[in-house]
């Protein structure tokens, strides 16, 4: 399986990615709303029940199901 992304990765940092969405800086990333997490983002490639899943925006590395970044978009 692909590696887990680091929060310090350049892309992750630029997009405000956190492994734990509740740790997102809501002042800096005003688009964040409670309940928005990687597992319900359309870019999440894991199954809904997987703790980690690949994300294309993060170079295919795995992101936490409970994470978030500013590229979040509601899964259709
Ligand atoms: Fe998570 Fe979606 Fe951001 Fe990828 S694009 S890190 S799945 S919120």
């Amino acid at each position: 399986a692909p590696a887990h992304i680091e929060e310090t990765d350049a892309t992750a940092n630029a997009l405000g990615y956190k492994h734990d969405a509740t740790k997102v800086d809501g002042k800096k990333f005003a688009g964040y709303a409670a309940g928005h997490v990687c597992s319900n983002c359309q870019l999440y490639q894991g199954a809904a029940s997987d703790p980690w899943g690949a994300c294309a925006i993060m170079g295919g590395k795995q992101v936490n199901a409970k994470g978030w970044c500013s590229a979040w978009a509601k899964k259709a």
Side-chain angles (χ1 to χ4, degrees):
H4 292 179
I5 192 81
E6 298 286 346
E7 291 180 352
T8 51
D9 170 275
T11 303
N13 185 54
L15 294 175
Y17 171 80
K18 295 292 182 191
H19 294 311
D20 177 351
T22 67
K23 303 275 168 54
V24 168
D25 181 348
K27 289 201 174 94
K28 190 171 177 188
F29 296 98
Y32 172 70
H36 292 183
V37 288
C38 290
S39 63
N40 60 27
C41 171
Q42 66 180 9
L43 295 170
Y44 189 69
Q45 295 168 15
S49 58
D50 290 343
W52 295 83
C55 171
I57 271 187
M58 297 298 172
K61 287 187 177 174
Q62 295 199 83
V63 297
N64 195 290
K66 294 176 179 168
W68 182 89
C69 89
S70 58
W72 184 90
K74 188 176 168 58
K75 194 186 281 283

